[in-house]
Amino acid sequence: MINALESSSTRPYLIRALYEWCTDNGFTPYVAVQVDESVQVPREYVKNGEIVLNISFDATSSLKLGNDFIEFKARFAGTAREISVPVGRVIAIYARENGQGMAFPAPAPAEGASSAAQPALSAPARSPLRDASRGTEGDAGKVVHLVSDEGTETPAEPVDPGEEPPRPPAGGGSRPALKRIK
């Protein structure tokens, strides 16, 4: 029997499930990606180390949602480009029309990455994810923010072994969540 540490990641399965849910319901699936040197996307559309890609049937060709990579061809400003995104770099998948979807924990910085490159690739916790598929800053009415509950927890205090452990915060802890701004 395989234990949890030896099993494969659930991220590619959840991405495929949400992609299918979006397409079944007539929504446009978007993925937010944290860009580093392993991500093959047009760099001129990367903002704050992130890019948002429309992965709908109409916007892509040869889409492959694999366990390790999301690969497809798409046009940016009329130019066909090969896109390759490691599944581990996907930080969210959601429907453009209603913002419903799922955010994933941000990937850890790559080992051996230069400290000079890190500030350019790391984004503030509340920076907006913009629709980069249009090649513009995006419509201000369609900005999605990744919200983190970090900083809301109190420091750990010594606990009496007879006391009941404290309850986790109602918001689910430090897990990021999507919030649509209208």
Side-chain angles (χ1 to χ4, degrees), residues 16-153:
R16 284 192 292 267
L18 286 165
Y19 173 85
E20 186 175 342
W21 174 82
C22 284
T23 57
D24 285 354
N25 289 285
F27 298 135
T28 309
Y30 276 27
V31 291
V33 178
Q34 190 172 27
V35 177
D36 71 356
E37 56 280 341
S38 68
V39 178
Q40 183 180 334
V41 294
R43 300 293 180 183
E44 61 269 24
Y45 297 101
V46 174
K47 303 281 188 229
N48 295 324
E50 297 174 349
I51 188 169
V52 177
L53 300 167
N54 177 347
I55 60 169
S56 70
F57 179 77
D58 294 335
T60 64
S61 69
S62 305
L63 176 65
K64 294 179 188 136
L65 298 173
N67 285 348
D68 297 318
F69 289 92
I70 297 174
E71 299 172 311
F72 58 93
K73 295 175 188 166
R75 291 191 171 274
F76 290 82
T79 305
R81 304 279 185 102
E82 297 270 340
I83 307 300
S84 178
V85 176
V87 169
R89 303 303 297 177
V90 174
I91 55 175
I93 179 168
Y94 60 95
R96 185 192 81 193
E97 292 79 3
N98 62 13
Q100 290 185 343
M102 179 177 284
F104 300 103
E111 296 273 334
S114 69
S115 59
Q118 288 302 322
L121 294 178
S122 62
R126 299 192 87 137
S127 67
L129 298 174
R130 301 206 180 268
D131 174 10
S133 65
R134 295 187 195 132
T136 65
E137 281 292 315
D139 183 5
K142 295 182 181 173
V143 176
V144 176
H145 290 273
L146 283 181
V147 180
S148 176
D149 292 337
E150 289 178 14
T152 60
E153 297 178 23

Side-chain angles (χ1 to χ4, degrees), residues 9-19 93 102 104 175:
S9 171
T10 58
R11 191 179 295 213
Y13 300 94
L14 294 169
I15 290 170
R16 284 192 292 267
L18 286 165
Y19 173 85
I93 179 168
M102 179 177 284
F104 300 103
R175 185 170 177 188

